[in-house]
Amino acid sequence: MPTALVTGATAGIGRAYARRLAAEGHDMVLVARDAERLGELADRLQTRHNVRVEVLTADLADAAQRAQVAARVGDVDEPVDVLVNNAGFGTGGAFWDLSTDVLQRQLEVNVAAVLELTHAAVRQMRERGRGDVINVGSVAGFFTASGSTYAATKAYVIAFSEGLATALTGTGVRVMALCPGFTQTEFHQRAGLEMSKLPRAFWLQADQVVHESLADLRAGKPVSIPGAQYKALVAIGRLIPKKLQRMVVTRTVPGRT
């Protein structure tokens, strides 16, 4: 059986990936900080889909724990066929009001973990001539005029993934940046963002995001933007001058950080 490793697997998009990939017959390696929730999910997937499930309790903001996960990703004796770099977090409040410790943790999880785990995966995948890497970015990464550290980290994920996808053309290894918009998960609550005024039309469901992203991956796309509304938003955003973007984002985006 192929093996998939998903970070941030206990909630939201990560949990939806774990359910979907297990249902498709992948053995799973689940990574998250919450050991209890990891165990519950592992039991459910094993029972429902008859797959082997390994759990790694790790905080990807910690370099030593991140290295342990990277070692598992790069294990040539038990290779990972699909890597989903989903773990990440946002922050509420203005940049100047946040501690550098919080901002550094965000950088470690949203950027350093993606870099290190992708590096470990690509090395062994190239040797075998096959493998998939999905790096979860965000529509916010296309709109860095917001001045958000979160948007800046996701802009890195998009640029990194697109460039790597091009470099790996013809190797059998696929890399894709997934860029969802607002999705019904625990993300915004954890970040302390007030989202009650966002129109219903802008909300996506995690299962929808995963379904569209896997279709895009298998179609060979380097970037996936689920939802017609967000495809249109990004397309229009690319045509709007940065100065106008800054004006619009400053007045309309909640929780800029």
Side-chain angles (χ1 to χ4, degrees):
M1 282 188 178
T3 297
L5 186 147
V6 181
T7 68
T10 54
I13 293 173
R15 190 178 182 93
Y17 267 118
R19 292 197 308 264
R20 172 64 180 268
L21 293 170
E24 290 185 354
H26 291 76
D27 287 335
M28 302 300 303
V29 182
L30 308 177
V31 181
R33 293 179 297 169
D34 191 323
E36 183 176 348
R37 293 180 76 177
L38 276 174
E40 176 270 330
L41 178 58
D43 289 343
R44 177 173 298 187
L45 296 181
Q46 288 174 142
T47 301
R48 182 167 298 179
H49 302 296
N50 194 30
V51 295
R52 183 174 63 87
V53 183
E54 177 184 348
V55 298
L56 295 176
T57 304
D59 181 352
L60 295 178
D62 180 272
Q65 295 181 53
R66 197 164 62 238
Q68 291 178 342
V69 178
R72 176 63 187 88
V73 173
D75 188 344
V76 295
D77 295 323
E78 294 185 278
V80 168
D81 301 278
V82 181
L83 168 65
V84 181
N85 279 312
N86 165 74
F89 72 91
T91 52
F95 171 77
W96 45 87
D97 292 329
L98 295 167
S99 72
T100 54
D101 287 343
V102 169
L103 294 172
Q104 185 63 41
R105 282 180 59 82
Q106 183 184 64
L107 195 64
E108 297 292 338
V109 175
N110 293 9
V111 174
V114 171
L115 174 68
E116 292 180 30
L117 301 192
T118 301
H119 187 264
V122 166
R123 288 171 67 94
Q124 55 92 357
M125 288 176 178
R126 283 186 74 252
E127 290 292 324
R128 294 187 297 123
R130 65 183 186 277
D132 295 322
V133 177
I134 300 173
N135 293 325
V136 179
S138 170
V139 163
F142 295 105
F143 298 95
T144 53
S146 66
S148 162
T149 55
Y150 176 78
T153 63
K154 295 306 183 179
Y156 170 85
V157 170
I158 296 168
F160 168 64
S161 301
E162 281 194 283
L164 192 54
T166 299
L168 289 168
T169 299
T171 66
V173 181
R174 299 179 293 197
V175 177
M176 186 185 76
L178 165 61
C179 302
F182 294 108
T183 305
Q184 292 281 6
T185 69
E186 300 174 5
F187 175 86
H188 301 97
Q189 181 180 0
R190 288 180 175 180
L193 301 176
E194 172 53 52
M195 304 300 299
S196 61
K197 295 182 180 179
L198 185 72
R200 179 177 294 183
F202 282 95
W203 286 110
L204 302 173
Q205 299 300 316
D207 287 336
Q208 171 195 357
V209 168
V210 169
H211 177 76
E212 292 192 32
S213 72
L214 290 175
D216 286 340
L217 174 74
R218 291 159 185 170
K221 296 182 180 181
V223 177
S224 175
I225 304 172
Q229 67 274 54
Y230 288 108
K231 288 181 174 67
L233 180 65
V234 171
I236 293 169
R238 285 170 168 163
L239 302 176
I240 297 175
K242 287 290 187 180
K243 182 177 180 180
L244 182 57
Q245 276 193 33
R246 286 193 292 270
M247 292 173 60
V248 171
V249 171
T250 299
R251 295 175 184 176
T252 61
V253 175
R256 299 187 317 279
T257 56

